[in-house]
Amino acid sequence: NRCEDGFPDFIEGRIRDDRRLADLAYLPDLARLESLLHRAYYAADDPPFDPTAFETAAGRFGAEALRPRASAALALLASPHPVRAIRAAHLAGAGPREIGATDGDWLVIHRPEWVVQVSAVTPERYGLLEAIRTGRCMGELGEGGHPIEDLGALVACGWVVRFDLPAAARPASLG
């Protein structure tokens, strides 16, 4: 469903242009969340993590040279609104109600097996996942102050699915 791509921006523009809609400021991010859930469901499957390949590459080239790679079904959404709670209340059939004030949501959308899930994370873990998605190697992640000690947990939950070598460091025999 590709028509959803511009829908959150369209909603945002309407809210910005019509002050009567100011109470719906969360709606564009809720639409973004729904779009990311849809994409995660249909994302390609990842091969299982290969710890032997990781150990071999880390031993041969150094762990700091390896680039963690996120699952194809992983997406990130940061919102100043509690969109996870708003969505959960809606799905539970709750009528309009007050959702407690929050500092917003730092969300990871992922698909373990065939069920798409939304998990709240800390801003630090969110930043680590953002940096991973930009292709930084482990050395760069550590130098950037990211909590690389969390990488094992990210592998365990399927958010990081492999570690690659940067093209410049890749020997011809590894492709």
Side-chain angles (χ1 to χ4, degrees):
N1 186 355
R2 303 307 297 175
C3 71
E4 68 197 19
D5 288 347
F7 191 54
D9 293 334
F10 170 78
I11 296 170
E12 198 166 51
R14 296 291 300 165
I15 291 170
R16 185 179 46 250
D17 295 343
D18 189 342
R19 293 187 183 267
R20 295 173 297 171
L21 302 174
D23 289 344
L24 301 174
Y26 64 89
L27 205 51
D29 283 345
L30 189 61
R32 286 181 182 95
L33 176 58
E34 290 297 333
S35 176
L36 293 172
L37 288 163
H38 178 85
R39 289 179 189 197
Y41 182 81
Y42 289 103
D45 293 334
D46 296 303
F49 181 73
D50 184 352
T52 304
F54 171 77
E55 289 176 22
T56 301
R60 187 169 172 195
F61 303 103
E64 67 280 350
L66 301 180
R67 295 188 188 280
R69 296 298 186 190
S71 168
L74 184 127
L76 303 172
L77 178 65
S79 174
H81 309 286
V83 291
R84 182 174 177 236
I86 292 168
R87 182 178 185 273
H90 173 74
L91 291 176
R97 65 180 180 99
E98 285 294 316
I99 302 231
T102 69
D103 290 333
D105 278 338
W106 303 90
L107 302 176
V108 176
I109 296 89
H110 55 106
R111 189 195 69 215
E113 302 299 322
W114 290 105
V115 179
V116 179
Q117 297 177 10
V118 179
S119 297
V121 295
T122 64
E124 294 79 20
R125 185 167 276 186
Y126 185 92
L128 173 61
L129 287 163
E130 267 190 320
I132 288 170
R133 291 182 58 110
T134 64
R136 294 193 182 142
C137 67
M138 288 179 39
E140 293 168 328
L141 293 171
E143 290 169 5
H146 296 287
I148 59 173
E149 62 275 4
D150 287 356
L151 284 171
L154 299 181
V155 169
C157 65
W159 297 356
V160 169
V161 295
R162 71 180 192 274
F163 290 79
D164 294 336
L165 286 170
R170 190 175 304 136
S173 63
L174 292 179

